[in-house]
Amino acid sequence: MADELDDVTDETSESSEARIAVHWREEGYYPPPAKFTAQANASDPAIREQFTEDKFPDCFTAYADLLTWFKPWDTVLDTSNAPFWKWFSGGELNASYNCVDRHLETHPNKAALIWVPEPENEVHQAITYRELYVRVNEFAAVLKELGLKAGDRITLHLPMVPELPVAMLAAARLGIVHSQVFAGFSGTAAGHRIADSGSTVLVTMDGYYRSGEVLDHKVKADEAVEAAAREGQQVDKVLVFRRYPGRYSAKTPMVEGRDVFVDDLLAAHRGEIVEPARLQATDPLFLMYTSGTTGRPKGCQHSIGGYLAYVAGTSKYYQDIHPDDTYWCLADIGWITGHSYIVYGPLALGTTSVIYEGTPNYPDAARPWRIAHQLGVNIFHTSPTTIRMLRKVSPDGPKEFDIHFKHMTTVGEPIEPEVWRWYFEKVGKAEAVIVDTWWQTETGGFLGSTLPGIDPMKPGSCGPGALGILPAILDEDGTELPAGSGKAGNIVIRNPWPGVFQTIWGQPERFVSTYYAKYNTDPKSTDWRDWPYFAGDGAVQAADGYFRILGRVDDVINVAGHRLGTKELESAALTVNEVAEAAAVPVVDDIRGRVVEIYVSLKPGFDPSPEIEAKVSGAIVTDIGKIARPKNIWIVPDMPKTRSGKIMRRVIAATSNFTDTGDITTLANPEVVDRIREQVQSAKRAKGEAPRELSETEQHEIKSFGSE
Ligand code: 6R9
């Protein structure tokens, strides 16, 4: 190991790509447990033949056929306005009908959702499909009364409570485009997204539990409305669900005329039925904001037909959901994972989906096991960050519990093989299959994964492309790096698929330039083969065809599976009056994967002080949310810059991670590198943030961080 590291650290970045890859250790295979395969939805390898390139795009009708259509589609894939793909065009359906109404015929009394409140003395709430139908209809009636109609946008800023899927499905029923903002995001962040989407209504909740405390969430609504107003967007109504109907749990007062309690509004709509709208498959279902290279978040617009078909199909074959399963995904519905694999996919298949309000380790590390045991969870879905945390605080996993998962998922970040093995052995008791699913907010559903009943698993690799997905690794010039080349490059998807987002809300040029321009040679082409989708991740493909994802190649930091744009972090820091320049970099963290560190330089006349550090940290929490709170803020005399004046983030990233700064000959001010290193690293040592050896993938990311 040590000499491998020497080998890579003294390389310049050009040749190190190849060298690093060559040194990657091949991991052994784990066959799927026979018991799993025997019951799997996909157990015959012949399924692959139905999804080969020559059968594209018609192969995806197998997914669309899982849904109920009011009118069948005319065209499977319309490429006439490439790369704005239209899936199942001419078809008509309703997502709310597919996730709720149609299950009433077969199993009205089955639990659609089981909600687990964080306080253990509060009982679980099982919400049957029948009850979900009633609640969705009543809330749809509320939205309708407000004058909202198909195509309008509403912003939801809701925690992990059943009201969130209810609100999503009520909006979907009417064709209102919902944009759920992660509840942990600040009011200001919600406000930017309200403004960007042009929402006139905000749906929120008074409070919710996190780590034993009721958070006042309503206060964020006031901040959000103000932030949106600063950008010229007026919010007319704030609909406030109460965590305990009839009792207000927030300290922040309601605003007369603007804020209304939803439980009050619902009283007038008891038992009301709102017909599900007949909507075009190509109409938008929702927006999900994510970070990118510039400060403005991207509202990824997902379609009704293509998206729902894709999440239903992948839930069936990759989550292996059967009618009697109890499925628990610990992600937050505020992220794409929750949209696709807590709400839309599982409910489209008519399964029981568990929703947990709180933090996984509250009040202790065995909480997830108690929940799983009590509810008989047999499919378990979480992120490497949670797995690392559980491994640390509960090294034996659910040993003492009578829990037998058949299937487990890891998603959101690369998982270290060590951590994967712990998940397999301790959590899955070597009985459960694991899928490491690689995908993105933009992609709607899984892109890379093993087929759980068929393919052997390989720790640290997501596996091959999912059914009907044709990934490839390209170098900067677009030349394909074949499987087994040992070279890392950019992972692309050569073909469109039904789950792919339709555009960036209000930014169609950015949609094309960010995701398609890089490898397109003919902007006029309507042949999908000319439009590889650029995912923004580095990856390497082993000889067996399995992909190993190395992380983002753009200026995005993946903290605990959540994407934070460096520009967003930096603009927040720059709102502090004393700050002249700011640069955000990722630091490898044993639990959260990456955490953020911010470097700032001050305007002339100001001296470094703990107050300024606190202001920077506060500005970031206010603008984005606690999840973005930097681990350290370093006030430095100057930033390392190129001759054209760009901050070289990879140099400070290396400093923060105690790795080699690499080639600095192109710097305009190479002398600052040593000064910063001395300052930062001695301070880190004093705080006990000792350097640790980084894995090859971690080194790769730090070395190539930030565009120059
Ligand atoms: C679903 C989701 C997307 C980015 C993606 C990649 C990273 C996701 C991964 C993974 C390695 C996996 N990522 N899954 N990296 N292995 N199984 O996470 O969406 O929040 O948009 O993040 O996350 O870098 O590009 P999103």
Side-chain angles (χ1 to χ4, degrees):
M1 187 70 187
D3 46 2
E4 283 177 21
L5 288 174
D6 287 344
D7 239 358
V8 288
T9 45
D10 62 13
E11 286 292 319
T12 57
S13 54
E14 279 300 272
S15 56
S16 67
E17 295 272 359
R19 299 285 294 274
I20 292 171
V22 167
H23 288 292
W24 273 322
R25 198 177 345 129
E26 266 300 307
E27 298 288 336
Y29 294 107
Y30 290 68
K35 194 170 154 201
F36 178 85
T37 302
Q39 60 80 64
N41 283 332
S43 55
D44 180 355
I47 191 171
R48 279 244 159 64
E49 284 151 36
Q50 298 165 33
F51 286 89
T52 48
E53 188 165 349
D54 56 310
K55 305 211 175 61
F56 178 84
D58 291 356
C59 54
F60 281 117
T61 59
Y63 286 4
D65 286 340
L66 295 172
L67 306 177
T68 304
W69 294 76
F70 296 145
K71 175 178 173 283
W73 54 89
D74 305 318
T75 313
V76 175
L77 172 64
D78 172 355
T79 65
S80 58
N81 187 22
F84 299 88
W85 314 120
K86 293 192 187 75
W87 280 91
F88 309 118
S89 66
E92 290 177 5
L93 78 168
N94 185 288
S96 181
Y97 178 87
N98 272 280
C99 292
V100 188
D101 306 36
R102 66 174 181 152
H103 304 308
L104 299 187
E105 268 173 40
T106 43
H107 46 265
N109 299 323
K110 176 177 171 177
L113 304 169
I114 300 180
W115 180 55
V116 181
E118 192 188 73
E120 269 185 299
N121 59 359
E122 282 187 30
V123 289
H124 301 164
Q125 275 182 29
I127 299 167
T128 64
Y129 274 96
R130 170 75 209 174
E131 207 180 339
L132 183 62
Y133 172 76
V134 171
R135 289 176 70 168
V136 166
N137 272 286
E138 289 176 350
F139 192 61
V142 167
L143 297 178
K144 208 171 149 185
E145 186 196 337
L146 293 174
L148 291 164
K149 52 183 192 321
D152 291 346
R153 281 81 53 209
I154 55 170
T155 297
L156 317 176
H157 196 202
L158 287 166
M160 285 290 281
V161 290
E163 287 80 356
L164 172 50
V166 165
M168 290 161 67
L169 293 163
R173 199 164 187 84
L174 295 163
I176 299 163
V177 181
H178 60 75
S179 166
Q180 154 71 7
V181 177
F182 171 54
F185 270 168
S186 67
T188 310
H192 292 316
R193 288 155 178 78
I194 289 171
D196 193 88
S197 62
S199 301
T200 52
V201 172
L202 169 65
V203 185
T204 189
M205 185 166 254
D206 55 352
Y208 63 102
Y209 279 95
R210 270 326 261 186
S211 300
E213 269 176 62
V214 185
L215 304 184
D216 181 345
H217 190 59
K218 164 60 171 61
V219 65
K220 290 188 177 177
D222 296 358
E223 291 161 6
V225 171
E226 260 177 53
R230 283 197 296 273
E231 293 179 40
Q233 178 64 40
Q234 170 157 342
V235 174
D236 303 325
K237 277 279 171 276
V238 178
L239 305 185
V240 184
F241 279 105
R242 283 189 276 198
R243 174 65 172 72
Y244 301 97
R247 184 175 114 204
Y248 191 44
S249 302
K251 294 210 173 63
T252 317
M254 297 286 278
V255 174
E256 182 79 36
R258 186 197 72 185
D259 301 353
V260 211
F261 291 130
V262 179
D263 44 316
D264 288 346
L265 292 179
L266 282 171
H269 297 284
R270 289 280 169 245
E272 212 166 297
I273 298 298
V274 176
E275 281 308 305
R278 283 175 78 111
L279 299 162
Q280 293 294 316
T282 51
D283 284 343
L285 176 60
F286 67 88
L287 305 179
M288 168 67 64
Y289 279 87
T290 191
S291 300
T293 305
T294 74
R296 182 173 173 195
K298 302 183 276 196
C300 296
Q301 177 186 318
H302 283 282
S303 70
I304 302 173
Y307 171 82
L308 200 63
Y310 197 68
V311 296
T314 49
S315 293
K316 176 168 178 181
Y317 293 119
Y318 288 92
Q319 294 298 293
D320 200 56
I321 291 176
H322 289 63
D324 292 332
D325 289 325
T326 300
Y327 167 87
W328 183 19
C329 171
L330 265 98
D332 196 290
I333 298 173
W335 307 109
I336 192 69
T337 300
H339 269 50
S340 299
Y341 298 113
I342 296 178
V343 181
Y344 284 113
L347 296 186
L349 295 182
T351 195
T352 300
S353 185
V354 176
I355 298 180
Y356 173 53
E357 176 180 34
T359 35
N361 55 344
Y362 183 83
D364 57 65
R367 184 70 193 276
W369 318 138
R370 289 198 291 278
I371 294 172
H373 179 247
Q374 237 164 322
L375 303 181
V377 171
N378 64 341
I379 307 182
F380 185 74
H381 186 150
T382 192
S383 65
T385 290
T386 304
I387 303 168
R388 289 185 209 107
M389 183 277 290
L390 292 171
R391 176 174 179 246
K392 187 171 169 194
V393 295
S394 136
D396 289 336
K399 193 173 161 188
E400 306 293 322
F401 291 81
D402 183 18
I403 291 176
H404 299 278
F405 297 135
K406 70 164 184 176
H407 180 292
M408 305 192 302
T409 300
T410 169
V411 61
E413 323 152 54
I415 186 165
E416 299 77 7
E418 276 311 301
V419 178
W420 190 99
R421 279 188 281 269
W422 179 83
Y423 195 34
F424 181 78
E425 276 149 26
K426 301 293 178 187
V427 181
K429 302 180 178 175
E431 300 165 338
V433 77
I434 295 182
V435 287
D436 178 346
T437 59
W438 167 72
W439 59 295
Q440 310 175 305
T441 303
E442 294 86 341
T443 74
F446 305 146
L447 294 179
S449 171
T450 49
L451 262 170
I454 297 173
D455 301 325
M457 303 167 260
K458 190 162 80 170
S461 297
C462 65
L467 292 170
I469 301 287
L470 307 169
I473 308 273
L474 304 185
D475 70 9
E476 283 301 309
D477 307 323
T479 306
E480 187 162 343
L481 302 172
S485 73
K487 286 192 187 143
N490 295 317
I491 187 163
V492 299
I493 309 299
R494 293 197 287 109
N495 61 322
W497 64 98
V500 69
F501 69 142
Q502 301 179 290
T503 188
I504 302 175
W505 181 261
Q507 305 179 74
E509 306 80 22
R510 188 176 179 196
F511 170 75
V512 179
S513 64
T514 307
Y515 300 98
Y516 294 99
K518 189 166 175 85
Y519 292 119
N520 169 261
T521 48
D522 175 9
K524 293 217 164 54
S525 173
T526 56
D527 183 343
W528 59 262
R529 291 167 194 80
D530 290 327
W531 295 96
Y533 169 81
F534 173 71
D537 278 323
V540 63
Q541 189 181 23
D544 58 16
Y546 281 26
F547 294 93
R548 180 161 174 171
I549 307 298
L550 307 174
R552 305 291 311 172
V553 297
D554 57 10
D555 296 342
V556 167
I557 305 178
N558 190 336
V559 177
H562 308 312
R563 285 158 63 177
L564 302 173
T566 52
K567 280 282 183 329
E568 283 168 87
L569 293 155
E570 291 160 6
S571 347
L574 286 166
T575 62
V576 174
N577 177 43
E578 294 89 338
V579 171
E581 287 180 309
V585 293
V587 176
V588 174
D589 182 84
D590 284 339
I591 301 292
R592 291 155 71 81
R594 304 288 176 272
V595 291
V596 174
E597 289 198 357
I598 299 258
Y599 286 66
V600 294
S601 65
L602 303 181
K603 291 176 186 161
F606 292 108
D607 292 321
S609 70
E611 288 73 34
I612 298 179
E613 287 176 25
K615 277 194 203 173
V616 171
S617 182
I620 288 169
V621 171
T622 306
D623 249 32
I624 305 172
K626 281 196 190 121
I627 188 171
R629 192 197 299 278
K631 180 171 188 189
N632 287 305
I633 290 153
W634 305 113
I635 303 179
V636 294
D638 197 6
M639 301 278 184
K641 288 195 195 121
T642 62
R643 292 200 182 97
S644 59
K646 285 193 184 152
I647 300 174
M648 267 188 148
R649 293 195 184 80
R650 68 170 172 80
V651 172
I652 47 185
T655 303
S656 276
N657 287 281
F658 293 89
T659 58
D660 189 86
T661 36
D663 181 11
I664 53 167
T665 53
T666 57
L667 282 189
N669 52 353
E671 69 289 348
V672 306
V673 176
D674 283 343
R675 284 178 66 186
I676 295 178
R677 186 193 297 126
E678 171 53 30
Q679 174 194 343
V680 168
Q681 295 188 347
S682 59
K684 278 184 164 249
R685 286 202 171 85
K687 292 172 77 174
E689 291 174 21
R692 77 146 167 87
E693 214 175 76
L694 299 193
S695 73
E696 297 92 329
T697 37
E698 290 161 350
Q699 287 195 43
H700 179 270
E701 178 184 322
I702 299 306
K703 248 187 133 126
S704 51
F705 187 74
S707 49
E708 277 167 17

